[in-house]
Amino acid sequence: MELQDTPEEWRVVATTTPFQGKKTSVRTDDVVMPDGTVARRDYQVHPGSVAVLALDGQDRVLLLKQYRHPVRQRLWEIPAGLLDVPGENPLHAAQRELYEEAHVKAEDWRVLTDVYTTPGGCDEAVRIFLARDLSEAEGERYEVADEEADMELARVPLAELVRAVLAGELHNNCLVVAVLALATARAGEGVEALRPADAPWPARPFAS
């Protein structure tokens, strides 16, 4: 058994886009099943995202608390955002999000992990980076609006985040995955064994 996800694409005999939003859309595909029957599948089409676990010199993770209307909660999260244009270099996008949301820059970047957030109903792919050697960004702060204008920032020890995740107190998927991935990497071969920041990303190919 090869422990690796593999590309595969079942035949689609019809497709429509019943909803087109500013950044995402909803697609309906009629997909041929292995037994020859046709099943209808609705899913969100998403440009892809990046997220950043920014770790400071005191082993604290930079967090944001933001209101998320679909779940009616204010969630602790790590900096994250959409890939603005097709083929955008995810590292550049991650650096932009860290600057815009926290006014922070980092000198050391590595790929922590890649995930599909909800593959049963959305094609969103997220690349999560580990960023270290943090310092305050230069220049003026990015002007925020809407939910981002009400964000709370904090730096929390990684060990406390692991405890809170396992206790069911934190729920943002990128935060949960990033925290547990970093703890696992440290317990194994160490963060120096993580992939480089420009590692290939088949889910969202990009130019170097």
Side-chain angles (χ1 to χ4, degrees):
M1 182 185 69
E2 182 182 15
L3 192 59
Q4 181 175 342
D5 298 334
T6 54
E8 184 167 325
E9 188 167 349
W10 293 1
R11 187 162 65 96
V12 175
V13 295
T15 185
T16 60
T17 304
F19 171 78
Q20 179 68 57
K22 182 179 180 181
K23 293 289 187 179
T24 68
S25 61
V26 172
R27 181 176 298 162
T28 298
D29 288 345
D30 290 340
V31 186
V32 179
M33 298 289 109
D35 63 359
T37 61
V38 176
R40 180 159 290 177
R41 295 289 179 261
D42 303 315
Y43 59 99
Q44 183 185 19
V45 178
H46 194 285
S49 306
V50 292
V52 184
L53 191 158
L55 190 70
D56 70 14
Q58 300 178 53
D59 213 40
R60 300 176 303 176
V61 177
L62 193 157
L63 298 183
L64 313 165
K65 195 171 191 181
Q66 184 171 347
Y67 175 67
R68 294 301 188 183
H69 186 70
V71 296
R72 307 304 198 268
Q73 290 191 32
R74 288 175 62 92
L75 301 180
W76 283 109
E77 305 177 352
I78 56 177
L82 300 177
L83 296 172
D84 281 349
V85 295
E88 180 178 16
N89 187 309
L91 175 59
H92 299 166
Q95 291 169 334
R96 179 185 67 239
E97 293 301 328
L98 187 59
Y99 165 75
E100 291 181 355
E101 296 192 345
H103 202 66
V104 165
K105 64 180 181 179
E107 298 301 323
D108 184 79
W109 291 83
R110 298 173 189 273
V111 175
L112 191 52
T113 190
D114 300 322
V115 296
Y116 291 115
T117 54
T118 49
C122 179
D123 71 350
E124 181 183 13
V126 181
R127 168 153 282 188
I128 304 177
F129 290 91
L130 170 64
R132 298 181 298 171
D133 294 341
L134 308 183
S135 61
E136 186 173 354
E138 301 164 355
E140 296 183 3
R141 286 185 173 272
Y142 180 78
E143 186 174 347
V144 296
D146 302 325
E147 290 92 341
E148 292 184 352
D150 192 44
M151 288 193 304
E152 178 182 347
L153 276 71
R155 296 195 182 203
V156 180
L158 178 65
E160 174 59 17
L161 291 177
V162 171
R163 183 209 63 77
V165 165
L166 297 179
E169 298 168 0
L170 300 171
H171 305 91
N172 175 265
N173 59 350
C174 289
L175 170 62
V176 170
V177 169
V179 164
L180 297 184
L182 179 56
T184 301
R186 284 180 161 183
E189 298 181 7
V191 297
E192 304 305 321
L194 292 171
R195 288 172 291 161
D198 60 353
W201 189 17
R204 293 294 185 275
F206 62 93
S208 298

